[in-house]
mmCIF file of all heavy atoms in Angstrom:
data_model
loop_
_atom_site.group_PDB
_atom_site.id
_atom_site.type_symbol
_atom_site.label_atom_id
_atom_site.label_comp_id
_atom_site.label_asym_id
_atom_site.label_seq_id
_atom_site.Cartn_x
_atom_site.Cartn_y
_atom_site.Cartn_z
ATOM 1 N N GLY A 334 8.744 3.588 7.326
ATOM 2 C CA GLY A 334 8.788 2.579 8.372
ATOM 3 C C GLY A 334 8.509 1.192 7.860
ATOM 4 O O GLY A 334 9.147 0.230 8.257
ATOM 5 N N ILE A 335 7.534 1.081 6.957
ATOM 6 C CA ILE A 335 7.182 -0.231 6.425
ATOM 7 C C ILE A 335 8.286 -0.768 5.524
ATOM 8 O O ILE A 335 8.500 -1.960 5.421
ATOM 9 C CB ILE A 335 5.853 -0.142 5.646
ATOM 10 C CG1 ILE A 335 4.715 0.188 6.618
ATOM 11 C CG2 ILE A 335 5.547 -1.435 4.910
ATOM 12 C CD1 ILE A 335 3.405 0.423 5.944
ATOM 13 N N ALA A 336 9.001 0.144 4.869
ATOM 14 C CA ALA A 336 9.993 -0.264 3.879
ATOM 15 C C ALA A 336 11.236 -0.847 4.540
ATOM 16 O O ALA A 336 12.341 -0.345 4.400
ATOM 17 C CB ALA A 336 10.370 0.913 2.993
ATOM 18 N N GLY A 337 11.094 -1.892 5.296
ATOM 19 C CA GLY A 337 12.207 -2.587 5.906
ATOM 20 C C GLY A 337 11.985 -4.082 5.825
ATOM 21 O O GLY A 337 10.867 -4.559 5.817
ATOM 22 N N ASP A 338 13.078 -4.838 5.766
ATOM 23 C CA ASP A 338 13.006 -6.296 5.652
ATOM 24 C C ASP A 338 12.171 -6.724 4.460
ATOM 25 O O ASP A 338 11.301 -7.583 4.554
ATOM 26 C CB ASP A 338 12.427 -6.903 6.930
ATOM 27 C CG ASP A 338 13.517 -7.191 7.949
ATOM 28 O OD1 ASP A 338 14.688 -7.157 7.560
ATOM 29 O OD2 ASP A 338 13.188 -7.431 9.107
ATOM 30 N N VAL A 339 12.384 -6.096 3.314
ATOM 31 C CA VAL A 339 11.635 -6.450 2.122
ATOM 32 C C VAL A 339 12.606 -6.912 1.052
ATOM 33 O O VAL A 339 13.768 -6.530 1.037
ATOM 34 C CB VAL A 339 10.804 -5.253 1.595
ATOM 35 C CG1 VAL A 339 9.711 -4.897 2.577
ATOM 36 C CG2 VAL A 339 11.685 -4.041 1.324
ATOM 37 N N SER A 340 12.116 -7.747 0.168
ATOM 38 C CA SER A 340 12.901 -8.209 -0.965
ATOM 39 C C SER A 340 12.370 -7.530 -2.212
ATOM 40 O O SER A 340 11.249 -7.796 -2.641
ATOM 41 C CB SER A 340 12.793 -9.736 -1.091
ATOM 42 O OG SER A 340 13.499 -10.193 -2.226
ATOM 43 N N VAL A 341 13.160 -6.614 -2.754
ATOM 44 C CA VAL A 341 12.678 -5.826 -3.880
ATOM 45 C C VAL A 341 13.145 -6.436 -5.194
ATOM 46 O O VAL A 341 14.263 -6.941 -5.301
ATOM 47 C CB VAL A 341 13.158 -4.367 -3.788
ATOM 48 C CG1 VAL A 341 12.552 -3.694 -2.578
ATOM 49 C CG2 VAL A 341 14.670 -4.284 -3.716
ATOM 50 N N PRO A 342 12.307 -6.420 -6.238
ATOM 51 C CA PRO A 342 12.679 -6.987 -7.525
ATOM 52 C C PRO A 342 13.655 -6.087 -8.260
ATOM 53 O O PRO A 342 13.739 -4.888 -8.017
ATOM 54 C CB PRO A 342 11.336 -7.062 -8.272
ATOM 55 C CG PRO A 342 10.511 -5.974 -7.657
ATOM 56 C CD PRO A 342 10.928 -5.903 -6.217
ATOM 57 N N THR A 343 14.409 -6.679 -9.172
ATOM 58 C CA THR A 343 15.299 -5.908 -10.021
ATOM 59 C C THR A 343 14.498 -5.252 -11.135
ATOM 60 O O THR A 343 13.333 -5.569 -11.362
ATOM 61 C CB THR A 343 16.368 -6.809 -10.641
ATOM 62 O OG1 THR A 343 15.715 -7.768 -11.509
ATOM 63 C CG2 THR A 343 17.143 -7.552 -9.567
ATOM 64 N N TYR A 344 15.148 -4.334 -11.863
ATOM 65 C CA TYR A 344 14.455 -3.673 -12.960
ATOM 66 C C TYR A 344 14.054 -4.676 -14.031
ATOM 67 O O TYR A 344 12.964 -4.589 -14.599
ATOM 68 C CB TYR A 344 15.337 -2.584 -13.579
ATOM 69 C CG TYR A 344 14.706 -1.961 -14.803
ATOM 70 C CD1 TYR A 344 13.683 -1.031 -14.659
ATOM 71 C CD2 TYR A 344 15.092 -2.334 -16.086
ATOM 72 C CE1 TYR A 344 13.076 -0.476 -15.771
ATOM 73 C CE2 TYR A 344 14.483 -1.788 -17.194
ATOM 74 C CZ TYR A 344 13.486 -0.857 -17.039
ATOM 75 O OH TYR A 344 12.869 -0.321 -18.133
ATOM 76 N N ALA A 345 14.925 -5.641 -14.314
ATOM 77 C CA ALA A 345 14.606 -6.643 -15.337
ATOM 78 C C ALA A 345 13.349 -7.424 -14.964
ATOM 79 O O ALA A 345 12.512 -7.731 -15.808
ATOM 80 C CB ALA A 345 15.781 -7.586 -15.540
ATOM 81 N N GLU A 346 13.207 -7.742 -13.679
ATOM 82 C CA GLU A 346 12.021 -8.461 -13.224
ATOM 83 C C GLU A 346 10.784 -7.580 -13.274
ATOM 84 O O GLU A 346 9.687 -8.036 -13.588
ATOM 85 C CB GLU A 346 12.233 -8.962 -11.797
ATOM 86 C CG GLU A 346 13.308 -10.024 -11.680
ATOM 87 C CD GLU A 346 13.681 -10.320 -10.244
ATOM 88 O OE1 GLU A 346 13.475 -9.437 -9.380
ATOM 89 O OE2 GLU A 346 14.177 -11.430 -9.984
ATOM 90 N N LEU A 347 10.953 -6.298 -12.981
ATOM 91 C CA LEU A 347 9.820 -5.380 -12.989
ATOM 92 C C LEU A 347 9.290 -5.129 -14.390
ATOM 93 O O LEU A 347 8.093 -5.065 -14.621
ATOM 94 C CB LEU A 347 10.226 -4.039 -12.371
ATOM 95 C CG LEU A 347 10.366 -3.977 -10.852
ATOM 96 C CD1 LEU A 347 10.937 -2.640 -10.447
ATOM 97 C CD2 LEU A 347 9.020 -4.187 -10.186
ATOM 98 N N TYR A 348 10.195 -4.967 -15.350
ATOM 99 C CA TYR A 348 9.807 -4.480 -16.656
ATOM 100 C C TYR A 348 9.691 -5.576 -17.697
ATOM 101 O O TYR A 348 9.645 -5.316 -18.893
ATOM 102 C CB TYR A 348 10.824 -3.433 -17.140
ATOM 103 C CG TYR A 348 10.220 -2.381 -18.036
ATOM 104 C CD1 TYR A 348 9.193 -1.574 -17.574
ATOM 105 C CD2 TYR A 348 10.665 -2.205 -19.337
ATOM 106 C CE1 TYR A 348 8.634 -0.609 -18.373
ATOM 107 C CE2 TYR A 348 10.121 -1.237 -20.156
ATOM 108 C CZ TYR A 348 9.106 -0.434 -19.665
ATOM 109 O OH TYR A 348 8.557 0.527 -20.466
ATOM 110 N N ALA A 349 9.622 -6.837 -17.252
ATOM 111 C CA ALA A 349 9.550 -7.949 -18.205
ATOM 112 C C ALA A 349 8.242 -7.962 -18.963
ATOM 113 O O ALA A 349 8.176 -8.331 -20.133
ATOM 114 C CB ALA A 349 9.751 -9.275 -17.484
ATOM 115 N N GLY A 350 7.128 -7.552 -18.331
ATOM 116 C CA GLY A 350 5.822 -7.573 -18.971
ATOM 117 C C GLY A 350 5.449 -6.234 -19.540
ATOM 118 O O GLY A 350 5.682 -5.201 -18.937
ATOM 119 N N LYS A 351 4.855 -6.207 -20.727
ATOM 120 C CA LYS A 351 4.502 -4.960 -21.382
ATOM 121 C C LYS A 351 3.022 -4.843 -21.684
ATOM 122 O O LYS A 351 2.555 -3.781 -22.056
ATOM 123 C CB LYS A 351 5.300 -4.808 -22.687
ATOM 124 C CG LYS A 351 6.802 -4.682 -22.463
ATOM 125 C CD LYS A 351 7.527 -4.442 -23.779
ATOM 126 C CE LYS A 351 9.030 -4.304 -23.547
ATOM 127 N NZ LYS A 351 9.755 -4.081 -24.822
ATOM 128 N N SER A 352 2.264 -5.955 -21.588
ATOM 129 C CA SER A 352 0.842 -5.874 -21.867
ATOM 130 C C SER A 352 0.146 -5.104 -20.766
ATOM 131 O O SER A 352 0.616 -5.032 -19.634
ATOM 132 C CB SER A 352 0.246 -7.283 -21.973
ATOM 133 O OG SER A 352 0.434 -7.990 -20.764
ATOM 134 N N ARG A 353 -1.001 -4.507 -21.095
ATOM 135 C CA ARG A 353 -1.691 -3.666 -20.136
ATOM 136 C C ARG A 353 -3.161 -4.037 -20.063
ATOM 137 O O ARG A 353 -3.746 -4.568 -21.006
ATOM 138 C CB ARG A 353 -1.568 -2.181 -20.531
ATOM 139 C CG ARG A 353 -0.140 -1.692 -20.509
ATOM 140 C CD ARG A 353 -0.073 -0.274 -21.031
ATOM 141 N NE ARG A 353 -0.653 0.680 -20.092
ATOM 142 C CZ ARG A 353 -0.027 1.159 -19.035
ATOM 143 N NH1 ARG A 353 1.177 0.747 -18.746
ATOM 144 N NH2 ARG A 353 -0.601 2.047 -18.255
ATOM 145 N N LEU A 354 -3.743 -3.773 -18.909
ATOM 146 C CA LEU A 354 -5.166 -3.965 -18.691
ATOM 147 C C LEU A 354 -5.832 -2.605 -18.631
ATOM 148 O O LEU A 354 -5.269 -1.646 -18.113
ATOM 149 C CB LEU A 354 -5.425 -4.674 -17.356
ATOM 150 C CG LEU A 354 -5.059 -6.152 -17.225
ATOM 151 C CD1 LEU A 354 -5.206 -6.556 -15.781
ATOM 152 C CD2 LEU A 354 -5.947 -7.003 -18.102
ATOM 153 N N THR A 355 -7.045 -2.526 -19.129
ATOM 154 C CA THR A 355 -7.879 -1.377 -18.850
ATOM 155 C C THR A 355 -9.035 -1.868 -18.005
ATOM 156 O O THR A 355 -9.407 -3.037 -18.070
ATOM 157 C CB THR A 355 -8.415 -0.745 -20.147
ATOM 158 O OG1 THR A 355 -9.101 -1.740 -20.897
ATOM 159 C CG2 THR A 355 -7.289 -0.184 -20.984
ATOM 160 N N THR A 356 -9.602 -0.992 -17.196
ATOM 161 C CA THR A 356 -10.629 -1.450 -16.266
ATOM 162 C C THR A 356 -12.000 -1.317 -16.867
ATOM 163 O O THR A 356 -12.288 -0.420 -17.651
ATOM 164 C CB THR A 356 -10.574 -0.625 -14.970
ATOM 165 O OG1 THR A 356 -10.709 0.755 -15.292
ATOM 166 C CG2 THR A 356 -9.272 -0.861 -14.255
ATOM 167 N N SER A 357 -12.878 -2.233 -16.487
ATOM 168 C CA SER A 357 -14.259 -2.195 -16.913
ATOM 169 C C SER A 357 -15.147 -1.919 -15.717
ATOM 170 O O SER A 357 -14.683 -1.851 -14.593
ATOM 171 C CB SER A 357 -14.652 -3.530 -17.547
ATOM 172 O OG SER A 357 -14.703 -4.543 -16.559
ATOM 173 N N SER A 358 -16.417 -1.819 -15.936
ATOM 174 C CA SER A 358 -17.339 -1.529 -14.848
ATOM 175 C C SER A 358 -17.939 -2.783 -14.253
ATOM 176 O O SER A 358 -18.768 -2.713 -13.365
ATOM 177 C CB SER A 358 -18.480 -0.634 -15.351
ATOM 178 O OG SER A 358 -19.177 -1.283 -16.407
ATOM 179 N N ARG A 359 -17.537 -3.949 -14.718
ATOM 180 C CA ARG A 359 -18.105 -5.202 -14.215
ATOM 181 C C ARG A 359 -17.531 -5.521 -12.840
ATOM 182 O O ARG A 359 -16.323 -5.469 -12.620
ATOM 183 C CB ARG A 359 -17.753 -6.339 -15.187
ATOM 184 C CG ARG A 359 -18.350 -7.691 -14.775
ATOM 185 C CD ARG A 359 -17.963 -8.754 -15.786
ATOM 186 N NE ARG A 359 -18.445 -10.061 -15.375
ATOM 187 C CZ ARG A 359 -18.136 -11.170 -16.027
ATOM 188 N NH1 ARG A 359 -17.388 -11.111 -17.107
ATOM 189 N NH2 ARG A 359 -18.594 -12.330 -15.604
ATOM 190 N N SER A 360 -18.392 -5.869 -11.909
ATOM 191 C CA SER A 360 -17.947 -6.234 -10.568
ATOM 192 C C SER A 360 -18.874 -7.297 -10.007
ATOM 193 O O SER A 360 -19.916 -7.600 -10.562
ATOM 194 C CB SER A 360 -17.924 -5.010 -9.641
ATOM 195 O OG SER A 360 -19.236 -4.523 -9.453
#
Side-chain angles (χ1 to χ4, degrees):
I335 294 175
D338 272 347
V339 293
S340 177
V341 295
T343 64
Y344 175 77
E346 293 169 336
L347 285 173
Y348 210 60
K351 295 184 180 180
S352 60
R353 297 175 71 81
L354 289 171
T355 56
T356 56
S357 70
S358 59
R359 182 180 176 186
S360 65

